[in-house]
Structures are given as C-alpha cells and as structure tokens.
Amino acid sequence: MASIRLLQRKLDGAIIFREPASDPIPAYAILSHTWGNEEVTLQDMEADADRSKTTSKAGWAKVQFCADQAAADGLQYFWVDTCCIDKKNAVELGAAINSMFQWYQNAARCYVYLPDVSKSEGASGGRAWEEAFRTSRWFTRGWTLQELIAPRMVDFFSAEGHRLGDKSSLAGEIQEVTDILGRALRGDALSSFSIRERRAWAERRTTTVEEDEVYCLLGIFDVSMAVIYGERRDRAFRRLEEEIHKLYKGIHFEQYAVGFSLSSFPEAAQFVAREEELSKMHELLHGHSSRAAVVLHGLGGIGKTQLAVEYVRRHKEKHTAIFWLNANDEDSLRLSYRGIAQQVLQCHPSTSVLSSVDLSIRLEHYR
Ligand SMILES: Nc1ncnc2c1ncn2[C@@H]1O[C@H](COP(=O)(O)OP(=O)(O)OP(=O)(O)O)[C@@H](O)[C@H]1O
Ligand SMILES: [Mg+2]
C-alpha cells in the first residue's frame, strides 16, 4: 500500500498538507463524492498556490465540508481524492489507484457528500429527501462502490451538509438501490461473496474514463495490477480476470467460459450508438438475478442485428458464454444448436450433460 498524502486542518482553520513523516498515519476522515466541474487539484493546494483562486472553485465547498466535519468528529486529518493525489504523476496515480480501497478501509470515518440531495434543517416533511437519496448520482458511479463497501463507518450528508444517516441506519434504502446484501454493508469479508456477486454490484455503475470501470474494482477483488490508461476497457477486463484467476484458482467463473468472437459479424461502418435501447436491454437482462430474455423485433434492416452485436461488444466480459443462433429457418436453428454443443464440448470436454450427444450425426436424425 502506498503511503497516503493527508490534508490537515489547523486549529486556526487553515488547510495544509501534512508533513510527510515516518511516524504512523494518524486517524483521518475520507471524502466520498462524485466528480463535478472545477475540482480542486493538488497543485491548487500547494503552499505557493493562490488560495483565493482555490477557494473560489466550485469544488472547494466539499473540501471545506470534509475539513469541518472531520473537525466536528475530532479528526484534524482528512483525505479528498481530487487534491490529495498528484494526477500529473502517472506512477503516483497508479499506486494510489491500487491503494485506494485500503485507504477507504483504514479511514476512521467516510463522509459521502451528495449535492443532489437536499435536506433543510428542521423541515416538517420528515424524510422527504429519501427519494432524492435513492436516485442520487452517487449510486451510479464506479468508484463509489468501494467507498461504500470499504470503510467501517460511512455517513451520508445532503447538499447543505446536513447528516442524513449512516450506512447502517440507511442499510434498507442502500440495499434497495444497489442490490448489495446487508452483510456486505455491515463489513463481512469480501471473500465470502462470490466473484459473480461482486461483479453484479458494479454492473450498473459507470465511470467517466472507460478503463476506470475496471480499475475501480481492484480493491473489491483484492487484486492489484498496472494502471494503463489507453488500453481500453476490454483489455483491462481481461487483465483483471487473469489476476482474479491467479488469486481464486479453481473457483473462478472462467471455468464455465466458452470463447466467443465477434470478428465474424459485420460491423456497421459508422455505428450510431443507440444508447436508450442498449441501456434498456441492460436493465432487462441485468437488473435482477433471475433468468431473462429480451426480444428485438422490427422490420427487416431496422438494425436488430447491429444492436445485438453492439450489446455483446459492450457486455461480453460480464458473461461466461455467449452464443449466436441463426433462426432464419428450422434447419439453421438446429444447426446452430449443434454448433453450441460442439463449442461447449470443445472448451469443456468433461461436460456430462452433453456427453451423450453424437455430434457427427446428420441433421435429419434430429427431426
Ligand atoms: N446503429 C447503427 N448505426 C449505423 N448503421 C446501422 C445501425 N444499425 C444498422 N445499421 C445498418 O443497417 C444495416 C441493417 O442492420 P441490421 O442487419 O442490424 O438489421 P436487421 O434488423 O437485423 O435486419 P434483418 O431483419 O434483415 O435481419 C446494417 O448492415 C448497417 O449497415
Ligand atoms: Mg438481422
């Protein structure tokens, strides 16, 4: 684990970086938020920076909020990802990404700042903020998953800085929104959740940079790997899977994997993303744990095949196997099923359910 660069709120309210020292890391609070415009950077916090410029940035409010809340909880040190990592230093950034889960885990308290949830002090509406809480952007982002899971104590705050509750008192709501079991929120070891379960937690979350969809999961799977921006999501996922495989030999979901290639499918020269349909499909197929089917129908040439291909391209790493069937007529469908049996047996020769299938048999015999 890389050493953490903390901010310190002095008694007079001034905020400075903690002197790098060899003594043990003091107790600290940690901020969890979603990135917005005008975030405060490490350079903005340096001693020679123009502080009036720094404090006039939109992102300053949450830094100040974190400092004040930490002080209220008796903590003079705190950490905010926007300004406590030197993002211009690729080595430092890589080390930070590989350490961040532990940094959240080791924090005395974690404050979740939700600018899209408003709660006025003493409002008569009771818990009117709950609806906004459920639909907060915070639940849709990749990085916030580990920020919810890793720390022991997670407190949620409204845009005004009013406390909404903690991950224990809001467990019911959080579970509803995230599908994360209560025992994971209570701090049960991540190793007691299958890889598949943990992957499901991240499924509907997104990140601004595509590779981050993978890098934000390193701590969740307890692996580390080099951070290579530009490698693309798919390659990063492959590397993540390799790391997971090394760690969880034998119980890895890859043991059910059947290779699938998209190379034989024609790709539209200028694919127009159909985000609405794609996310609807994803919601229908992944929003739950039961079996599901989505049927794409419409006139010939309307783009059904391309839509399916794009869906597979985006989500193939979330599946152990993907099969393509030709259902133009009965014969092609039968041939497709035979092809699937062949593929499964090729990858998993010991699959007992298919061992009685005679693949050399001619098509007519299936009728
Ligand atoms: N999203 C898209 N962006 C750009 N071009 C597209 C898109 N979807 C489809 N096309 C173009 O339209 C053509 C027909 O699309 P596609 O084969 O997906 O339709 P289909 O509904 O599956 O047709 P059929 O009913 O004949 O199977 C494609 O070859 C492609 O060139
Ligand atoms: Mg088609």
Side-chain angles (χ1 to χ4, degrees):
M1 182 177 64
S3 95
I4 187 168
R5 182 190 282 111
L6 293 173
L7 282 165
Q8 179 182 15
R9 181 187 188 276
K10 306 286 261 187
L11 285 174
D12 63 3
I15 295 171
I16 56 162
F17 281 116
R18 168 180 178 257
E19 283 299 320
S22 54
D23 42 298
I25 303 290
Y28 62 92
I30 201 160
L31 184 71
S32 173
H33 70 110
T34 63
W35 287 61
N37 295 328
E38 282 196 327
E39 294 293 2
V40 175
T41 65
L42 178 119
Q43 285 71 29
D44 292 331
M45 293 304 292
E46 275 171 344
D48 56 358
D50 178 352
R51 274 303 171 103
S52 62
K53 247 193 203 155
T54 303
T55 55
S56 66
K57 279 185 148 181
W60 176 256
K62 51 192 157 192
V63 178
Q64 186 69 59
F65 158 77
C66 189
D68 295 344
Q69 188 58 45
D73 288 328
L75 299 163
Q76 56 172 312
Y77 296 98
F78 63 101
W79 189 87
V80 182
D81 60 354
T82 56
C83 55
C84 292
I85 304 170
D86 184 0
K87 295 194 189 59
K88 292 187 173 162
N89 180 338
V91 175
E92 179 177 330
L93 181 59
I97 286 173
N98 277 283
S99 306
M100 224 179 286
F101 186 90
Q102 283 144 298
W103 291 348
Y104 275 91
Q105 202 166 35
N106 296 343
R109 320 201 59 131
C110 174
Y111 306 135
V112 179
Y113 182 68
L114 303 172
D116 53 357
V117 180
S118 182
K119 183 199 180 199
S120 40
E121 198 70 283
S124 54
R127 297 178 71 160
W129 49 268
E130 274 181 0
E131 196 40 45
F133 177 76
R134 281 199 186 88
T135 55
S136 175
R137 183 166 185 271
W138 189 81
F139 287 111
T140 67
R141 311 305 295 170
W143 290 105
T144 52
L145 174 62
Q146 67 178 9
E147 297 166 13
L148 170 66
I149 299 284
R152 204 165 42 86
M153 305 234 277
V154 180
D155 295 295
F156 293 86
F157 294 87
S158 72
E160 300 82 9
H162 297 150
R163 194 169 177 282
L164 304 170
D166 56 40
K167 75 167 163 176
S168 158
S169 69
L170 294 169
E173 285 85 350
I174 297 170
Q175 210 171 321
E176 226 174 89
V177 183
T178 62
D179 281 339
I180 299 174
L181 293 177
R183 62 186 188 90
L185 297 175
R186 286 192 297 273
D188 267 22
L190 282 175
S191 56
S192 70
F193 299 89
S194 69
I195 300 296
R196 188 174 269 282
E197 271 175 295
R198 283 180 266 172
R199 274 191 106 134
W201 299 342
E203 213 124 77
R204 279 168 291 164
R205 293 169 179 263
T206 52
T207 54
T208 310
V209 178
E210 64 176 279
E211 292 88 354
D212 279 341
E213 250 179 63
V214 179
Y215 303 155
C216 72
L217 299 177
L218 299 182
I220 296 289
F221 292 114
D222 195 22
V223 298
S224 52
M225 63 187 226
V227 168
I228 312 169
Y229 284 109
E231 68 173 327
R232 308 303 301 268
R233 181 203 286 115
D234 288 4
R235 181 154 180 269
F237 256 115
R238 271 207 305 281
R239 291 200 300 124
L240 175 68
E241 280 179 351
E242 279 165 24
E243 290 305 321
I244 293 174
H245 194 50
K246 275 188 226 159
L247 195 64
Y248 303 89
K249 294 172 211 71
I251 52 162
H252 185 220
F253 63 84
E254 275 296 316
Q255 73 187 104
Y256 303 106
V258 176
F260 178 77
S261 166
L262 275 171
S263 58
S264 57
F265 293 95
E267 248 183 80
Q270 279 183 310
F271 185 77
V272 183
R274 300 172 69 168
E275 295 300 341
E276 209 173 301
E277 283 104 319
L278 287 166
S279 63
K280 183 74 193 165
M281 286 167 76
H282 194 46
E283 190 186 307
L284 290 169
L285 292 170
H286 280 276
H288 48 81
S289 52
S290 49
R291 206 177 280 195
V294 165
V295 177
L296 302 173
H297 61 95
L299 295 174
I302 205 171
K304 304 178 292 291
T305 300
Q306 285 298 321
L307 192 57
V309 167
E310 178 63 13
Y311 185 84
V312 169
R313 204 185 61 72
R314 290 196 189 185
H315 300 290
K316 61 179 185 299
E317 64 279 342
K318 295 176 185 126
H319 300 269
T320 53
I322 293 166
F323 300 109
W324 199 272
L325 290 90
N326 181 350
N328 272 349
D329 50 57
E330 214 173 304
D331 277 356
S332 352
L333 194 58
R334 283 171 198 278
L335 273 171
S336 293
Y337 275 114
R338 194 170 68 171
I340 291 175
Q342 272 164 340
Q343 270 177 281
V344 172
L345 281 170
Q346 226 163 46
C347 298
H348 307 281
S350 59
T351 307
S352 56
V353 225
L354 294 175
S355 57
S356 61
V357 178
D358 181 357
L359 294 170
S360 60
I361 211 158
R362 281 162 55 102
L363 196 60
E364 289 80 45
H365 297 180
Y366 277 91
R367 293 196 171 153

